Amino acid sequence: MTETDPLNGLVRPELLALADYNAGVSLEKMRSELGLERVIKLDSNENPLSCSPRVAPAIAAVQPGIFRYPDREELRLREMLSKDLGVTGDRLAFTAGSEDLVSILFRMVLRPDDEVVTVVPAFGLYEICAQHASAVTRKIPFTADWRFPVEEIVSALAGRPRVFVLCSPCNPVGVSIALEDFDRVLNAAHPDTLIVLDEAYGEFVKDSERGRLFERLKRHDGPWIALRTFSKAYGLAGLRIGYGIAFHSALAEAIYKVRSPFNVSAPALAGAEAAYRDQDHVAATRDFVSRERQRVAGALRDMGLPPAPSDGNFLFFDCGRPARTLAQRLRQKGVLIKAWTEAGYENHARVTIGNTEDNDSFLTALREALDGEAE
């Protein structure tokens, strides 16, 4: 080993060169760093109403058996979901969060120099996970008015990329793709291309639109998988559980060959089962987020910081200045938002829709930060 390279070439150099994923800042770190008891954490898109009250008793109930390994086949949760989704249970694959599933999928299907196509700005792990596999990412920007660039996507699909990832509602923008545009995209995809529909925020879509993309995806002739999570609308981010719905059981079986044998913990399974049974809580979360999102978006527009249209539990807005600078000013006031660092979008930030008090604190701190610039 040397001082300049303590690993002495042990780790692949292209992996060491990767950018770190910006996962937000922990409340504990911020309280310690700022000396504040109350920190407003609006940088990770967590559920403003927390999880269902049914979750804690369900987790407590499995504690006596915590010395045993969890149910590797996730039987109860699998049965509930497959019935509602209209697919056989063997097409479901559960992992420690939907981003874990992205990592697993990309390791499974990508070869060096394969191409992944996605729309940007985008969830950063798509590109990072592609780089893990020595694949390349082709990033197609949204239109200036925040619509999916359908013509450019169709053109890119003609090149038969190995993977096309579409997130709807899109993280970080929040916009959803129209059903007719999604239909065009699927019709343009070659059978060699795996379509990945990331629906991490799908539960926040309004009733008349929710589930329509998945129903269309089920009729797609090529390989596909839809990704979902219990971290957002179900409020279980700390438990780490998500799942994929595959076009065929063979893909789900392959995922279980690659993921660790007991990938989802017993508390996570119990929590997810309880949360899924409480759809009233999910509906209450969706209604609350919709009202508060509209209110916060209006306040941002009044401040001259227009947000993109959003169906998620967050807003992506134009700061009119380097977002890192504005986010740092808010941080000093104990308010955390996520400044976007992706090339071309450095003047944008994403803010989670929190509870009413947290949203008010964010808007007050933002006004103070802007007023401070004018002085």
Side-chain angles (χ1 to χ4, degrees), residues 298-315:
L300 288 172
R301 283 191 291 269
D302 290 344
M303 284 184 258
L305 308 176
S310 178
D311 289 325
N313 66 332
F314 54 87
L315 290 166

Side-chain angles (χ1 to χ4, degrees), residues 27-40 328 330-336:
L27 284 172
E28 292 76 11
K29 180 178 180 179
M30 287 309 303
R31 289 181 182 128
S32 173
E33 185 178 300
L34 298 175
L36 298 174
E37 180 58 33
R38 183 169 183 260
V39 175
I40 313 302
Q328 183 59 31
L330 294 179
R331 182 171 176 155
Q332 295 306 311
K333 298 175 182 291
V335 176
L336 301 178

